[in-house]
Amino acid sequence: MSQQPSVVLATASYDHTIKFWEAKSARCYRTIQYPESQVNRLEITPDKRFLAAAGNPHIRLFDINANSPQPLRSFDSHTNNVMAVGFQCDGNWMYSGSEDGTVKIWDLRAPGCQREYESRAAVNTVVLHPNQTELISGDQNGNIRVWDLRANSCSCELVPEVDTAVRSLTIMWDGSLIVAANNCGTCYVWRLLRGTETMTNFEPLHKLQAHDGYILKCLLSPELCEPHRYLATASSDHTVKIWNVDGFTLEKTLIGHERWVWDCVFSVDGAFLITASSDTTARLWSTSTGKDIKVYQGHHKATVCCALHDGPEPSS
């Protein structure tokens, strides 16, 4: 068994491969063939042991520290593209959202799907509230829904812009803010307030016209980035923009990709950002200077998702 890397960086492409990279040298050290479908989303478990790849219509779980090309497990009850995947903080269960209109929960210690919620429209994005008890989904019809995992029901529903697809949701690490990005280049920002019945309430805070094109991913900076708080928006206009959450002023525009930018992920301290683009590359950027530091070249079609875990594993 190979030694576990301290930094796990992976990308996936329409060329039907997943690649693992040495972040500093930009050397690809492992390629997994993924012949069944494209990969829409990658997510690394909190303990850095496994990588989930969301495809059509399966989710496959790979061992990061083994060299086997075969997945350890396959999660098979979605019937269309899986667009969102993520893990609960202890890594005990996984959530997913699909164009089949459902949000699902999977216990990694048991077979099958444990729960399913009907969104009634293609789900593009799902995030887990830091309280670990609410999932928030955004769909193609423009609906945002909060799924209360304790009550096992939809506790809140809102539509920021009718018939405008919600492409991406992101929630602040402390649960104080949520941002929804749509196909019109707009970000809607709400304060999240805890109601008397522990239900999350949305209080409108800001509307940001971030790009002229689609926003394909929005992402708030992690806890270790404090006291700075940033919002990154990746767009079909070939750029990524870094916004200061205090006032939503533009800090930096990351220019270098030559095609759509599909995905982005912050380093654990928010000092760096990894991006994935249709120009086949992924890039490493300094958030303070806005300059690209490394280019990860090796895919031969659009690179549409990236995953990074450079933090410590949770203490057991």
Side-chain angles (χ1 to χ4, degrees):
M1 183 160 161
S2 58
Q3 188 182 357
Q4 181 163 319
S6 60
V7 177
V8 180
L9 169 59
T11 58
S13 163
Y14 282 167
D15 65 12
H16 293 274
T17 67
I18 298 166
K19 290 182 179 289
F20 290 89
W21 307 85
E22 288 176 355
K24 286 181 180 170
S25 70
R27 183 181 77 88
C28 174
Y29 64 88
R30 182 183 175 194
T31 299
I32 297 172
Q33 301 296 324
Y34 201 96
E36 304 98 307
S37 76
Q38 83 274 12
V39 176
N40 302 306
R41 187 66 61 206
L42 292 171
E43 194 70 37
I44 297 162
T45 54
D47 63 7
K48 293 189 193 174
R49 289 178 60 202
F50 306 112
L51 176 79
N56 184 4
H58 316 283
I59 305 163
R60 305 264 196 256
L61 197 67
F62 293 92
D63 188 333
I64 288 172
N65 303 307
N67 286 319
S68 168
Q70 298 305 316
L72 286 175
R73 271 189 73 179
S74 183
F75 302 86
D76 296 326
S77 74
H78 281 298
T79 58
N80 206 329
N81 260 320
V82 182
M83 301 302 288
V85 66
F87 294 96
Q88 173 253 5
C89 64
D90 294 331
N92 290 332
W93 50 267
M94 177 176 75
Y95 59 88
S96 59
S98 166
E99 289 181 346
D100 65 15
T102 65
V103 173
K104 292 180 188 273
I105 291 180
W106 316 78
D107 188 326
L108 298 183
R109 301 156 297 180
C113 165
Q114 274 62 47
R115 291 193 193 178
E116 179 178 307
Y117 301 107
E118 281 284 345
S119 186
R120 302 189 298 281
V123 175
N124 293 325
T125 176
V126 183
V127 290
L128 177 62
H129 192 291
N131 64 22
Q132 308 293 304
T133 62
E134 291 169 306
L135 286 172
I136 306 168
S137 65
D139 70 28
Q140 196 65 18
N141 289 358
N143 304 294
I144 295 171
R145 292 191 173 91
V146 180
W147 308 96
D148 185 329
L149 305 184
R150 290 163 304 188
N152 211 16
S153 65
C154 179
S155 60
C156 179
E157 207 169 312
L158 69 158
V159 183
E161 211 168 308
V162 177
D163 291 334
T164 303
V166 176
R167 289 302 288 249
S168 182
L169 291 167
T170 179
I171 191 163
M172 189 61 84
W173 62 269
D174 61 1
S176 60
L177 289 182
I178 187 164
V179 181
N182 71 18
N183 269 355
C184 294
T186 310
C187 286
Y188 288 86
V189 187
W190 295 269
R191 276 197 190 92
L192 288 183
L193 307 172
R194 304 303 299 174
T196 49
E197 300 178 10
T198 70
M199 191 180 88
T200 291
N201 294 311
F202 288 67
E203 179 188 271
L205 178 65
H206 195 75
K207 181 181 174 182
L208 175 68
Q209 191 57 47
H211 297 267
D212 291 333
Y214 301 145
I215 299 175
L216 303 167
K217 178 73 178 275
C218 64
L219 188 63
L220 287 160
S221 55
E223 180 177 2
L224 293 180
C225 189
E226 297 288 320
H228 303 292
R229 292 189 164 201
Y230 298 119
L231 170 69
T233 55
S235 172
S236 62
D237 69 9
H238 308 181
T239 71
V240 179
K241 293 182 179 179
I242 309 282
W243 307 85
N244 190 326
V245 171
D246 182 22
F248 291 93
T249 52
L250 181 62
E251 289 274 323
K252 292 282 182 288
T253 301
L254 311 185
I255 297 170
H257 281 302
E258 294 166 10
R259 303 279 297 276
W260 291 23
V261 186
W262 287 95
D263 200 6
C264 61
V265 57
F266 280 105
S267 62
V268 69
D269 59 0
F272 302 99
L273 191 76
I274 301 270
T275 56
S277 168
S278 289
D279 66 12
T280 75
T281 70
R283 287 173 188 253
L284 172 70
W285 308 80
S286 161
T287 50
S288 60
T289 67
K291 304 296 183 204
D292 61 342
I293 300 164
K294 289 288 175 197
V295 180
Y296 304 93
Q297 290 179 298
H299 289 297
H300 57 265
K301 289 188 178 174
T303 303
V304 292
C305 52
C306 51
L308 174 70
H309 189 339
D310 62 328
E313 297 88 73
S315 49
S316 50

